[in-house]
Amino acid sequence: MTEQEPKITYNRVMLKISGEALMGDQGFGLHPPTVQRIAEEVKSVRDLGVEICMVIGGGNIFRGLQGSAQGMERTTADYMGMLATVMNALAMQAALESIGVFTRVISAIPMDQVCEPYIRRRAVRHLEKKRVCIFAAGTGNPYFTTDTAATLRANEMACQAVFKGTKVDGVYNKDPKKHADAVRYDTVSYDECLEKNLGVMDATAIALARDNKLPIVVFSLDEPGGFRAILSGRGTYTKVGG
């Protein structure tokens, strides 16, 4: 079979990845080769002409819920988690720009010396100019996850899908790493995700996607070329709703 230029399924997408995805085999922090590998994946899709937004979690540096569980006041813990997402966004920006991809980090918490404040129309203009927009600091509010932030920003930016990069190649009825008989869904409804607690995203994010008919594509970020392949109708993934 000859290699053909992939057919673009979506013109503007949100890529949501966890902070843990950036730490490679380390127990915490950032693993520069892993950050660079993900940047290359993003570039390969951007080179197709797809406009890309990103939201990166902060769990590799600090997770608000864990801090709260250890006695820290929840609001403070969540703000610390938001700052961790800014650090990850800056690392991804540096990796992308090192390979020629113009990038803007846009924070829900103003910190003008390191990134732009969130202004919706300005962010849309960046996307139209084929810059990758990395939205940092969540929604700017405690008690909301980066999954919810990704779904919110995807709707605001008129994205056509949220791509959720994970360690596995889709949504399963049970943990495939623990159960050999786990079955992967090709498609699953928003309500089924909520009823069966399938762990795609938190309930607020799923409900927000459902209310706006925004599909969520769950795929393996560890699969080389996986992000690009899905846009051509190839690859393995689960589509939620849409």
Side-chain angles (χ1 to χ4, degrees), residues 151 155 190-191 194 203-216 240-242:
T151 310
N155 282 308
Y190 302 112
D191 289 337
L194 294 171
T204 304
I206 294 289
L208 185 58
R210 178 189 62 193
D211 293 347
N212 292 278
K213 296 181 174 57
L214 178 70
I216 302 166
V240 179

Side-chain angles (χ1 to χ4, degrees), residues 2-197:
T2 58
E3 183 69 23
Q4 296 180 337
E5 187 64 16
K7 175 186 176 184
I8 298 176
T9 310
Y10 303 110
N11 297 315
R12 180 180 294 172
V13 301
M14 166 65 73
L15 174 62
K16 167 61 173 70
I17 62 177
S18 67
E20 287 88 345
L22 304 185
M23 65 189 189
D25 295 329
Q26 302 175 151
F28 63 92
L30 288 158
H31 183 237
T34 300
V35 176
Q36 199 67 41
R37 179 184 63 78
I38 295 172
E40 296 280 359
E41 293 279 334
V42 172
K43 182 180 186 299
S44 73
V45 172
R46 197 290 309 260
D47 288 348
L48 294 175
V50 179
E51 297 169 2
I52 302 174
C53 312
M54 294 182 70
V55 167
I56 307 171
N60 57 319
I61 299 172
F62 188 86
R63 188 179 290 281
L65 278 173
Q66 289 176 352
S68 179
Q70 294 171 13
M72 185 177 291
E73 195 267 325
R74 173 67 189 271
T75 302
T76 298
D78 278 357
Y79 277 121
M80 291 175 68
M82 290 180 220
L83 295 177
T85 71
V86 176
M87 295 172 68
N88 284 338
L90 292 172
M92 182 58 64
Q93 179 185 42
L96 283 165
E97 293 195 335
S98 74
I99 53 176
V101 178
F102 292 109
T103 308
R104 295 291 184 272
V105 173
I106 301 170
S107 173
I109 299 174
M111 46 186 82
D112 295 347
Q113 289 178 308
V114 295
C115 51
E116 292 185 7
Y118 176 68
I119 299 171
R120 187 183 67 85
R121 287 180 178 272
R122 182 187 292 176
V124 169
R125 186 65 181 138
H126 287 320
L127 290 172
E128 290 171 348
K129 291 182 177 179
K130 307 303 180 186
R131 296 166 181 158
V132 173
C133 288
I134 308 176
F135 296 106
T139 66
N141 302 287
Y143 296 94
F144 290 92
T145 67
T146 51
D147 280 346
T148 299
T151 310
L152 173 65
R153 296 292 185 237
N155 282 308
E156 290 180 302
M157 295 296 106
C159 291
Q160 295 162 311
V162 174
F163 279 68
K164 176 76 182 281
T166 69
K167 294 285 187 183
V168 292
D169 59 357
V171 180
Y172 286 77
N173 63 341
K174 49 190 170 182
D175 190 343
K177 293 184 178 179
K178 296 179 181 177
H179 304 276
D181 61 342
V183 177
R184 184 181 60 80
Y185 297 96
D186 288 326
T187 60
V188 63
S189 71
Y190 302 112
D191 289 337
E192 196 171 0
C193 281
L194 294 171
E195 289 164 9
K196 295 183 177 179
N197 195 26

